[in-house]
Amino acid sequence: MLLPKMRKLFRVWPILLSVGVLISLFVIWPRQSDRSKNPPNDPDDASLRLLDSEKRYMDNRGIQVIVGHYIGDSVDPLQSPNIDQDLLNKNMFNPRPYEGRDGNPVMIPPKDFVLMKQLFQINRFNLLASDRIPLNRSLPDVRKKTCIARYSGSKHLPSTSVIIVFHNEAWSTLLRTVHSVIGRSPRHLLHEIILVDDSSNREFLGAPLDEYVRNLEVPTRVLRSGKRIGLVNARLLGAGDATGQVLTFLDAHCECTVGWLEPLLDAVAQNRTRIVSPVIDIINDDTFSYTRSFELHWGAFNWDLHFRWLTFGGSKLEQRRGDMVAPFKTPAMAGGLFSMNREYFFELGGYDDQMQIWGGENLELSFRAWQCGGSVEIAPCSHVGHLFRKSSPYTFPGGVGDILYSNLARVALVWMDEWAEFYFKFNPAAERLRDKQQIRGRLAVRERLQCKGFEWYLDNVWPQHFFPKDDRFFGKIIHAVTGDCLMRPVTKGTYTQPFGNADMEPCISPPQLSQMFVMTSDGVIVTDESVCLDAPERDTRHEKPKVKIMACSGLRRQKWQYDAKRKTLVHLGSKMCLQLSLKKSDGLVIATCNKSAEQQWELEAVPWK
Ligand code: UDP
Ligand code: MN
């Protein structure tokens, strides 16, 4: 789930990017839906295209990071010779003392490139590099000084069971995860480590693993699922067997940094209904270098229910001024790494055990926690590295698309009320699966816990959200002269950049999300991915300043007023009118209001539920 080719590309544009970061705000590139593309012909092969599932954000150097997309940079049979069983079953862990030290990148010499490329296909990360790094490699201490002081006393904290589920993980990444837990946690806070093997078929993950963990200094055991049950059920298996006061879940390719555990346990100890995640740093899938990530991102999701990192806006930062290192509330969590009270985990309904393989469970748990009286938070003093990959190495029995969309359909049906209709209306792949979902058990959880509705969630947990609501406009913004629709910037190709000039294109029917906008009662014109219609309040150099689509900032330059009589969209900051100049070179601008047809707009509401 990550980045390396793009990184090189972006290195060339550091200035541009940092400006982008400064001005704003949100970090994410949305992406173009690829619904027009053919579905994968081998439904089990996750290396093929999994629709709409990237998660990206920008790291602290302003680099776009893909946090989890499953597109098909599929194996090129010419470039990567077949990988046979012998190779898969071979544990090639071969550490060299200083490789990867302090989180530095591993450089593979050119003579090994062919082997490196071949091995890369096995786990979709640079296995050769990973296998050269010791299990106990050092990492930088990325903590702020205030964090070190804040969590210096850990005697009183509850202890935790650490649960790591895996399916065909590499030996080196799995055990580096384990050793980083053992090496960087106060011993008295580690109750046990539970590895849950979700039906891996690599020989070295069988008896050799059992043997290896027997000698660790923290009680560690391996549970075996017997058949492939997916990550939700694997985590449930681990949780059911755990006896620590707190459960801490980690992916099988993480590296914990010093001081990672105390902030998580401290937060849970103070309030047992908190679900707390660390800041998720980046382990590069090519070089295994360690990169510290932004501390002040929060998690949310787009209209397609794909997880997104957003930087939080002004008022939230303002609130934190007093205490920048305290845990902060987030609408949703990334899902792989978090701690929560064990008893509370079960009181809150565990997980939805009907969710298959991968995906959706992070939103399900986030909504459930918030709507049923708990909270989801990020402890900025806790840093854990996660190996982000660009594609998934394992099979999705039943088909990638059906699995993800079934899981998301369940999330929507159980937790999202009218917003489920919005989701299904614009996501036919999920709509197709909605009637197949048995959700009675989950609705019973919602009933038992007397959980609040999704509207409460949007209003209170994520007031900055960009979803439609009854108190705001949702629909098309149509130019009176051309009849064209305003749309968010979409580039042809796989990726989409949300920022840029606002485009006008012929309106599409049935309505497409790329042409839908929300206008809030505050006059913000926003669309999916939290991007807003933006114009400068004062621009002395241009008579007709350009209108752009930029990350929403909450600033006045993004506020508008619709005059239904004159059909104008007035920019509040400048008092000028939104205009589509028929002279093509001008495009979408603001200009002195003049009652011309070029400045007339129709707001055509589209039913969303
Ligand atoms: N996993 C599992 N069974 C599955 C799929 C995934 O046990 O059927 C494990 C996987 O090995 C990893 C965790 O669940 O430890 C999360 O999966 P992954 O890292 O692929 O998700 P991502 O981090 O890409 O979102
Ligand atoms: Mn992972």
Side-chain angles (χ1 to χ4, degrees), residues 591-605:
T592 310
C593 298
N594 60 15
K595 300 189 183 149
S596 73
E598 290 179 323
Q599 295 185 351
Q600 286 177 14
W601 300 87
E602 211 72 64
L603 297 197
E604 185 184 307

Side-chain angles (χ1 to χ4, degrees), residues 1 55 70 165-167 169 198 228 230-231 234-235 250-253 357-358 386 389 392 394:
M1 323 201 265
K55 311 163 225 165
Y70 286 68
V165 306
F166 65 94
H167 174 72
E169 189 65 44
D198 184 10
R228 182 82 180 278
L231 78 90
R235 283 190 196 147
L250 295 176
D251 271 12
H253 33 255
I357 307 295
W358 181 94
H386 173 259
R389 313 180 252 218
S392 184
Y394 41 75

